[in-house]
Amino acid sequence: MTINKITVVGAGVMGRGIAYVSAQAGFETTLVDVSLEQLNNAIEEMRKLAKKAISKGKLSESEVSVLFSNLHTSLDLVDAIKETEYVIEAVPEKRDLKKSVLETIDQYAPKHIVIASNTSTISPTELGSYTKRPEQVAAMHFFNPVHRMRLIEIVKGLETNAETVSIIREVAEKMGKETVEVNEFPGFVTSRISAMVGNEAFYMLQEGVATAEDIDKAIKLGLNYPMGPLELGDLVGLDTRLNNLKYLHETLGEKFRPAPLLEQYVKAGRLGRKTGRGVYDYTNNGERVNK
Ligand SMILES: NC(=O)c1ccc[n+]([C@@H]2O[C@H](COP(=O)([O-])OP(=O)(O)OC[C@H]3O[C@@H](n4cnc5c(N)ncnc54)[C@H](O)[C@@H]3O)[C@@H](O)[C@H]2O)c1
């Protein structure tokens, strides 16, 4: 089955990145959100990204114009999915919200199509159970920033069938990504490790083990990670990180209890790059102030 049309639901940090690579790969892509402001920000950010890609010689002017001609936005989920061929759900990591969005998608999207969720942690079996087509539901887990990160984790639920996995792999490959196939377990492979390391770094910061800069520097230069766990948290979004940890704490136990300092940052609205402040300060036009 050839997929030409993709709908991405949620235009936040991830949805906009997914829509960008989808449109670039030649899929007619509709990006949906409940917030016009988020859709406008998403388009603005994609334009900046495309401009940078042109200046670095990664994309030509004509490739960028094809990319944007493939890209549409919508505030009307039902309308955006009624003739779609593939859906990627990228709304916040909250079970009740995912449930209601997946129920709507299931009700109005064509019955034969795959529904892929960009969830970082939640069981695809559970996500599938919110629909009447659990065999056509799986997690398609992208990484941030989507245009740069090469991996997609494909996570099967109990009922996910082989055809669904093969369709997701085909879409991923057309987007230029590598895939791994993972059996369902909370946090899959990557989120479980990333949440654990990120949470531990927050505990260290809270305990005064070192400054944020030195924790990140130690992990980068000493352990050869490309990014420090605290700067990565700011990129991911500290609210998203906290939601992931809460789910892993609930499902895998005490070792994932979120650091109180992380909870405090989220309460204060310090969510990372997207709000201008997290562990670090990005109020200088999105650039980090205290490098
Ligand atoms: N941030 C990351 O680095 C990262 C990485 C991999 C996976 N994920 C996962 O991707 C998903 C999205 O995360 P994010 O960081 O992009 O979140 P985000 O908060 O940046 O964006 C979510 C978007 O969904 C929109 N939304 C909320 N309710 C909606 C609805 N009913 N219909 C349509 N849109 C709606 C919001 O307005 C917002 O624009 C989560 O499941 C998260 O765990 C995040």
Side-chain angles (χ1 to χ4, degrees):
M1 183 186 165
T2 311
I3 309 283
N4 296 305
K5 285 186 197 165
I6 291 184
T7 304
V8 181
V9 186
V13 171
M14 293 305 287
R16 61 187 64 177
I18 296 168
Y20 182 88
V21 296
S22 170
Q24 189 187 335
F27 295 110
E28 201 180 308
T29 305
T30 305
L31 180 60
V32 182
D33 206 287
V34 286
S35 153
L36 181 60
E37 194 188 351
Q38 281 291 79
L39 287 175
N40 289 340
N41 289 342
I43 295 294
E44 198 185 317
E45 200 179 315
M46 287 189 248
R47 291 221 175 267
K48 279 190 197 151
L49 205 59
K51 215 169 149 189
K52 239 189 220 169
I54 293 175
S55 72
K56 287 184 174 165
K58 289 186 177 157
L59 288 178
S60 66
E61 300 267 0
S62 67
E63 282 167 331
V64 165
S65 85
V66 171
L67 189 162
F68 283 98
S69 71
N70 287 337
L71 197 60
H72 317 279
T73 56
S74 173
L75 287 165
D76 185 343
L77 174 60
V78 171
D79 183 61
I81 56 179
K82 64 178 194 254
E83 284 175 10
T84 195
E85 296 170 354
Y86 188 94
V87 176
I88 304 172
E89 170 278 305
V91 302
E93 192 81 344
K94 294 186 176 148
R95 277 152 114 176
D96 290 350
L97 177 61
K98 297 251 190 227
K99 180 171 189 285
S100 91
V101 169
L102 286 168
E103 283 170 350
T104 307
I105 295 170
D106 186 44
Q107 190 177 348
Y108 294 100
K111 298 293 170 225
H112 64 280
I113 71 160
V114 165
I115 305 173
S117 171
N118 186 45
T119 180
S120 311
T121 51
I122 302 176
S123 149
T125 302
E126 183 181 330
L127 297 176
S129 78
Y130 303 150
T131 74
K132 295 193 172 68
R133 62 180 99 184
E135 63 291 345
Q136 291 154 238
V137 176
M140 181 182 195
H141 184 208
F142 290 81
F143 295 84
N144 185 6
V146 180
H147 67 285
R148 279 223 302 268
M149 300 301 282
R150 292 174 56 215
L151 185 69
I152 289 176
E153 249 179 332
I154 303 175
V155 190
K156 295 173 288 183
L158 182 66
E159 311 281 358
T160 310
N161 65 22
E163 196 191 347
T164 297
V165 172
S166 109
I167 290 171
I168 295 177
R169 191 179 302 112
E170 215 172 285
V171 169
E173 282 169 3
K174 195 166 166 197
M175 290 177 178
K177 306 295 185 194
E178 298 272 343
T179 58
V180 289
E181 215 178 291
V182 179
N183 289 318
E184 125 157 358
F185 211 80
F188 320 144
V189 171
T190 53
S191 303
R192 188 165 156 187
I193 296 286
S194 175
M196 171 64 81
V197 173
N199 200 32
E200 205 53 40
F202 255 97
Y203 274 114
M204 286 182 186
L205 190 60
Q206 182 182 312
E207 288 155 0
V209 173
T211 61
E213 287 83 354
D214 277 355
I215 292 171
D216 277 344
K217 186 174 174 184
I219 301 298
K220 280 188 286 192
L221 303 188
L223 302 184
N224 210 16
Y225 280 38
M227 279 183 88
L230 297 168
E231 57 187 355
L232 179 61
D234 277 356
L235 179 71
V236 165
L238 297 183
D239 53 339
T240 301
R241 169 127 291 169
L242 179 60
N243 287 335
N244 291 350
L245 278 162
K246 282 183 174 163
Y247 180 77
L248 293 173
H249 183 221
E250 208 179 288
T251 50
L252 296 179
E254 213 34 42
K255 62 185 175 181
F256 286 98
R257 177 181 290 282
L261 183 64
L262 170 60
E263 304 222 34
Q264 222 176 0
Y265 275 38
V266 172
K267 260 188 223 146
R270 286 173 62 167
L271 307 185
R273 284 185 176 270
K274 64 184 168 187
T275 56
R277 244 184 124 199
V279 175
Y280 300 105
D281 186 334
Y282 307 91
T283 47
N284 178 21
N285 227 346
E287 293 300 315
R288 195 162 121 192
V289 177
N290 46 347
K291 284 194 174 141

